Amino acid sequence: MTESRGCRRISVVGLGKLGAPLAACYADKGHRVIGVDVDPRIVRLINEGRPPVFERGLDELLIRCRGRLTATDDYACAVAESDVTIIIVPTPSDATGAFSLRYVLSASKRIGEALRHKDGYHVVALTSTVLPGATEGEIKPVLEARSGKRYGRGFGLCYSPEFIALGSVIRDLRNPDFVLVGESDARAGDEVASLVRTIAENDPPVARMNIVNAEITKLAVNTFVTTKITFANMLARICERMADADVDVVTDALGLDSRIGRKYLRGALGYGGPCFPRDNVALRYVARRLGVQATLAEATDAVNREQVPLLTEVVKSRLPVGGSVGVLGLAYKPDTDVVEESQGLAFTQSLLDAGIPVIVYDPAASDNAKRALTGSVRFASSAAECCRDADVVVVMTAWEEFRRIGPADFDGSRRPVIVDCWRILDPWRFVECADYVALGVGRYHSR
């Protein structure tokens, strides 16, 4: 692919699960991208055109953009050779729900030092999730002190987070619902808004505002989505206890209302992953710090934490004495190896804590799960092995691979129970070999 007209020079600081795909997406659109990371392994892999993280489509993208994407650990070089620097490093949560800025501030110091030796206007765009007030209250002073330049004049500063999910990062970057830009000045906002739109393939609207409003918006969006997920899960629990009720029928109708919409309205399991749980808690933290009641966010978090105990009781009620449970899916969602705040991981741990024998299988997340689980758990090499050796099989993650499970995958000498949390299987296929239980369907009956 030849460089497109109007290509920019971009540096991306942080080449992890979000940064590497982001850098590759920009390079794929013809921009010159220099990635910066402190991990020499990541730098080497990027320069070899190999993905440093598990993300669908990233390997092909890196091959396609060879020559336009390079990586280094040298901040000075990366800033000097670019016009826009994107910071996308971790901001881990602490016990209170606040986000740590230690990686962001460390990167900001190095960027500021590089800016001191660079002439001309340079834009710094923060993508990492932070608390409201952090960008201007903590990051801006570091950049100014280290660079000797004034915010909004010598350099521009924007807060422009992405709304993406692991496993679909590239697709989400290319098809955002909207672009959010909090800006220090109009020039910086113009640059970041136009830059983000170069990788979007769906002509998204752009919401431009001051930085603190953008910081609040980021947390508010994810907290609202968690509330919607939790509402659907509440409906699922209601439907389970009423004959002939089906949560999918109910939510399909709800989604037709334009005030509600279909997205994230599927009653199943609680939300998980590295963003939704912590953004919900962070908004509560901010509200409490300001003396505001965040009752809805608190209730959403509380209901979400109830999902695993409720499912554990359902499974225990179906488990024969001395029986074992097969867990299909440990990643928090399909197409990723991430187990952070995973419902499958929490459910497996609850069974282990209860002394129940567990066999698990996940197409991608087993290695990460081994490091997170405590207790004696057996890792199967396939979905069929997991199904064959368990008395109750629970579909926890809606991997495409699991949709192909059939009667031949089960041991014909016993009649197991299948608990399908996402209702991805055809229950009629299992009439002769298993008892099928669909969460969200009346009184745990098969459809």
Side-chain angles (χ1 to χ4, degrees):
M1 176 179 174
T2 59
E3 289 187 8
S4 62
R5 184 179 178 185
C7 70
R8 273 89 152 193
R9 302 186 307 164
I10 306 164
S11 50
V12 177
V13 177
L15 297 173
K17 292 183 177 295
L18 302 183
L22 180 68
C25 281
Y26 278 119
D28 189 52
K29 291 298 182 180
H31 302 298
R32 286 290 185 183
V33 183
I34 303 175
V36 183
D37 204 283
V38 296
D39 187 335
R41 182 190 71 88
I42 291 177
V43 170
R44 174 176 55 80
L45 288 173
I46 290 291
N47 286 329
E48 292 173 355
R50 294 194 290 156
V53 295
F54 181 91
E55 182 60 42
R56 183 172 57 179
L58 181 57
D59 48 354
E60 295 94 338
L61 203 58
L62 288 172
I63 292 171
R64 208 159 60 230
C65 65
R66 287 289 294 271
R68 289 185 303 277
L69 171 61
T70 58
T72 180
D73 62 358
D74 188 337
Y75 278 79
C77 175
V79 171
E81 296 298 322
S82 62
D83 303 305
V84 179
T85 297
I86 300 170
I87 303 174
I88 185 164
V89 298
T91 52
S93 302
D94 64 22
T96 68
F99 299 140
S100 168
L101 291 177
R102 63 181 181 271
Y103 300 120
V104 173
L105 293 178
S106 175
S108 298
K109 291 174 184 177
R110 302 285 295 278
I111 293 167
E113 290 164 358
L115 288 176
R116 179 178 288 273
H117 304 288
K118 182 178 181 180
D119 295 329
Y121 183 85
H122 190 97
V123 176
V124 179
L126 176 65
T127 295
S128 308
T129 303
V130 297
L131 293 178
T135 305
E136 292 177 296
E138 298 184 64
I139 298 164
K140 180 193 78 171
V142 169
L143 288 169
E144 287 187 326
R146 294 299 176 113
S147 69
K149 298 181 178 182
R150 290 292 303 277
Y151 150 92
R153 296 181 184 177
F155 68 92
L157 179 61
C158 288
Y159 178 65
S160 184
E162 306 287 354
F163 297 93
I164 51 183
L166 298 177
S168 57
V169 172
I170 294 168
R171 182 192 68 195
D172 295 343
L173 287 170
R174 289 172 168 171
N175 298 278
D177 287 315
F178 74 108
V179 174
L180 177 63
V181 179
E183 58 197 51
S184 62
D185 59 282
R187 182 179 178 183
D190 288 343
E191 179 66 21
V192 172
S194 64
L195 184 63
V196 174
R197 285 173 63 95
T198 64
I199 59 173
E201 298 175 350
N202 62 337
D203 193 27
V206 180
R208 292 176 62 174
M209 58 195 71
N210 67 27
I211 289 176
V212 71
N213 281 330
E215 291 166 330
I216 295 170
T217 300
K218 170 58 166 67
L219 296 183
V221 167
N222 281 352
T223 300
F224 190 90
V225 172
T226 63
T227 304
K228 193 172 181 181
I229 293 169
T230 300
F231 185 82
N233 289 340
M234 178 193 71
L235 290 176
R237 304 296 85 82
I238 291 172
C239 289
E240 286 166 3
R241 287 156 179 79
M242 299 190 70
D244 300 323
D246 188 325
V247 71
D248 288 333
V249 175
V250 175
T251 55
D252 283 350
L254 281 176
L256 296 175
D257 191 315
S258 62
R259 297 169 299 176
I260 299 172
R262 293 179 179 274
K263 286 187 176 181
Y264 292 100
L265 197 65
R266 186 176 186 188
L269 296 172
Y271 55 83
C275 294
F276 284 166
R278 79 191 200 111
D279 283 7
N280 176 285
V281 173
L283 189 64
R284 288 162 45 199
Y285 169 83
V286 171
R288 287 177 177 176
R289 193 177 63 180
L290 297 171
V292 176
Q293 292 292 323
T295 308
L296 184 58
E298 291 172 0
T300 295
D301 181 64
V303 172
N304 194 62
R305 295 181 188 279
E306 292 174 359
Q307 301 309 303
V308 164
L310 288 171
L311 177 60
T312 302
E313 290 308 310
V314 170
V315 170
K316 285 181 177 179
S317 71
R318 296 279 185 157
L319 188 66
V321 176
S324 61
V325 177
V327 178
L328 291 173
L330 297 167
Y332 87 96
K333 64 181 291 292
D335 300 316
T336 182
D337 63 350
V338 174
V339 297
E340 186 176 346
E341 296 287 342
S342 159
Q343 296 282 310
L345 192 77
F347 172 65
T348 300
Q349 190 62 61
S350 74
L351 297 175
L352 294 173
D353 292 344
I356 297 172
V358 186
I359 177 172
V360 300
Y361 171 73
D362 189 283
S366 291
D367 287 343
N368 289 337
K370 287 176 183 177
R371 291 188 285 269
L373 291 169
T374 59
S376 179
V377 58
R378 175 182 159 195
F379 284 83
S381 60
S382 66
E385 180 186 345
C386 188
C387 293
R388 185 175 60 247
D389 295 345
D391 296 284
V392 178
V393 176
V394 187
V395 181
M396 293 294 296
T397 310
W399 282 93
E400 189 64 30
E401 175 182 336
F402 297 160
R403 297 176 187 272
R404 298 191 291 271
I405 292 170
D409 295 312
F410 292 86
D411 181 358
S413 66
R414 70 177 107 187
R415 187 175 179 84
V417 176
I418 303 171
V419 180
D420 187 355
C421 298
W422 293 95
R423 301 172 298 282
I424 64 173
L425 302 175
D426 179 358
W428 303 112
R429 295 187 65 198
F430 302 96
V431 170
E432 301 299 326
C433 68
D435 294 330
Y436 179 86
V437 176
L439 292 192
V441 178
R443 300 189 187 279
Y444 305 127
H445 292 329
S446 299
R447 292 186 172 186

